[in-house]
Amino acid sequence: MKKIDISSNINGIKLTSCIMNASGVLCCTEKELSEIMMSSSGAVVTKSCTMIPREGNLEPRYFKWNMGSINSMGLPNLGIDFYLNFLEKKKPKKPFFLSISGLSIEENYQLIRKANLSPNINAIELNLSCPNLIEKKDQGLLGYDFYKTSDFLDNLFKFYKKPLGVKLPPYFEDFHIKKMAFILNQFPICFVTCINSLPNGLFIDINHETTVIHPKKGFGGIGGSIIKPFALANIRKFYIYLRKDISIIGCGGICSGKDVFEHILCGASAVQVGTQFFQEGIQVFDRLKKEFISILRKKNYFSIENFKGQLNVI
Ligand code: RRO
């Protein structure tokens, strides 16, 4: 039987499996990151970090139902020094993506300067799309401000020379995706991760007539299978509009091998698992890998390059 290879290459960063964890889920502490390091996840992606540790928002701040999840975690993390020290101490044998999410553009520069000094980081995943910050309630997501994003990238690539990807919020208009792709195409971006959770969703407990999470009056980011069509649409459109050397990492609604296949068919080079990882635990990577390989075998494909981006229109 011919071997099926699910490895991938994110602009020179080699992954033995194209399935990895999404930032934010079970990737905050030493124990959680070590578990990902030992698992069949193709990479280790950290929780988005800030200059100093944060407790995050008040609980309850996460809720899951059969079709998805809602969260308003509020960026709880152990601070950038912890993640850089983890990397130096453990030296993972798989790519390590440091996710950063400063509370201001100035803090993002500080974080990037710090990461720039670390020799072992494979790439930064710059989070332009955290939806749940109470202290920023009167400001929009950076990823929805095209002018600020462009100016920010312009300044950061003057001093940052290592691989950098951006994690984007979902866009709902073709025009917005075209505009963001036009901006990203002007910079040496390594990859784009789309999408972060759908911001400002609301889930209700009809029995108690309440929200299901406490912060921000119950509003939070929506993830899980319910957001897959939006993830696929964003991947597909960015695949069409982005420079071909910018890889796409798909995120949103990965629960089965079929979902992995769909993301890659739309143009993703790898996928990240968030809500389903939280639900199922570290076993999820073995299961998804098995299901994905079984689909490829049935279709007579031997590598993701056989079908990546090759979605047909009926
Ligand atoms: O911590 C969070 O509330 C959070 C972040 Br930083 C993010 O990027 N996406 C999300 O759904 N939650």
Side-chain angles (χ1 to χ4, degrees):
M1 208 160 29
K2 195 166 167 189
K3 192 176 173 312
I4 294 180
D5 175 15
I6 62 159
S7 68
S8 187
N9 192 322
I10 306 289
N11 226 320
I13 302 169
K14 293 195 175 78
L15 308 174
T16 53
S17 163
C18 61
I19 306 168
M20 67 178 95
N21 70 296
S23 174
V25 175
L26 303 176
C27 57
C28 187
T29 64
E30 173 152 351
K31 183 166 176 280
E32 290 168 347
L33 289 166
S34 301
E35 210 170 24
I36 297 170
M37 216 174 85
M38 311 293 280
S39 75
S40 58
S41 169
V44 179
V45 187
T46 70
K47 170 68 186 169
S48 293
C49 67
T50 48
M51 287 300 285
I52 51 172
R54 285 170 60 87
E55 297 265 341
N57 296 341
L58 291 178
E59 297 192 355
R61 57 190 186 181
Y62 181 89
F63 180 85
K64 163 98 174 75
W65 72 100
N66 60 342
M67 288 190 301
S69 63
I70 182 166
N71 88 83
S72 185
M73 305 302 287
L75 200 40
N77 77 91
L78 299 175
I80 186 168
D81 288 338
F82 168 80
Y83 299 102
L84 293 178
N85 288 338
F86 176 90
L87 174 64
E88 299 314 319
K89 197 168 79 182
K90 301 275 177 145
K91 297 203 168 48
K93 290 189 178 58
K94 58 176 82 168
F96 185 88
F97 293 81
L98 179 76
S99 172
I100 66 163
S101 186
L103 300 181
S104 62
I105 287 190
E106 199 36 60
E107 186 176 357
N108 276 320
Y109 290 137
Q110 283 178 300
L111 289 162
I112 292 167
R113 274 199 202 95
K114 211 157 202 197
N116 212 9
L117 300 173
S118 170
N120 294 318
I121 288 183
N122 296 92
I124 284 183
E125 186 182 77
L126 171 62
N127 187 351
L128 300 178
S129 45
C130 174
N132 304 321
L133 296 174
I134 285 167
E135 49 279 69
K136 289 180 70 178
K137 69 178 183 327
D138 297 323
Q139 296 166 41
L141 301 183
L142 198 50
Y144 285 151
D145 188 327
F146 297 90
Y147 178 79
K148 266 196 195 151
T149 297
S150 170
D151 192 51
F152 174 40
L153 294 175
D154 200 29
N155 283 324
L156 88 82
F157 280 114
K158 285 182 184 147
F159 68 91
Y160 185 76
K161 305 292 175 207
K162 291 186 187 177
L164 181 134
V166 290
K167 182 151 178 190
L168 298 175
Y171 298 99
F172 303 98
E173 295 224 52
D174 180 67
F175 163 73
H176 288 149
I177 300 185
K178 230 183 215 163
K179 202 163 160 176
M180 182 49 74
F182 178 80
I183 291 168
L184 298 175
N185 282 341
Q186 295 170 35
F187 298 102
I189 299 271
C190 173
F191 65 90
V192 165
T193 304
C194 47
I195 55 178
N196 207 322
S197 55
L198 264 69
N200 279 303
L202 186 60
F203 193 86
I204 286 166
D205 174 346
I206 189 178
N207 292 326
H208 298 98
E209 302 180 12
T210 61
T211 65
V212 290
I213 56 172
H214 172 74
K216 294 187 80 178
K217 299 192 161 69
F219 290 86
I222 307 293
S225 56
I226 196 169
I227 74 164
K228 188 178 73 171
F230 299 101
L232 294 177
N234 276 254
I235 293 164
R236 187 65 189 156
K237 284 182 184 283
F238 273 113
Y239 184 73
I240 291 163
Y241 297 140
L242 283 173
R243 258 186 5 242
K244 282 294 160 254
D245 63 297
I246 301 179
S247 302
I248 297 174
I249 302 180
C251 183
I254 299 277
C255 303
S256 67
K258 176 176 164 290
D259 302 323
V260 179
F261 188 88
E262 290 176 12
H263 275 232
I264 292 172
L265 190 64
C266 285
S269 294
V271 301
Q272 296 182 343
V273 194
T275 298
Q276 189 61 30
F277 176 27
F278 190 80
Q279 181 69 10
E280 192 173 333
I282 203 76
Q283 274 47 283
V284 75
F285 299 106
D286 282 340
R287 178 180 64 79
L288 291 174
K289 198 169 159 180
K290 230 164 95 188
E291 290 177 7
F292 182 50
I293 287 175
S294 149
I295 291 172
L296 298 203
R297 180 158 290 126
K298 281 195 195 113
K299 286 181 172 280
N300 224 4
Y301 290 145
F302 299 102
S303 123
I304 67 168
E305 296 308 325
N306 295 150
F307 64 98
K308 185 170 94 185
Q310 291 181 29
L311 177 69
N312 292 303
V313 176
I314 57 161

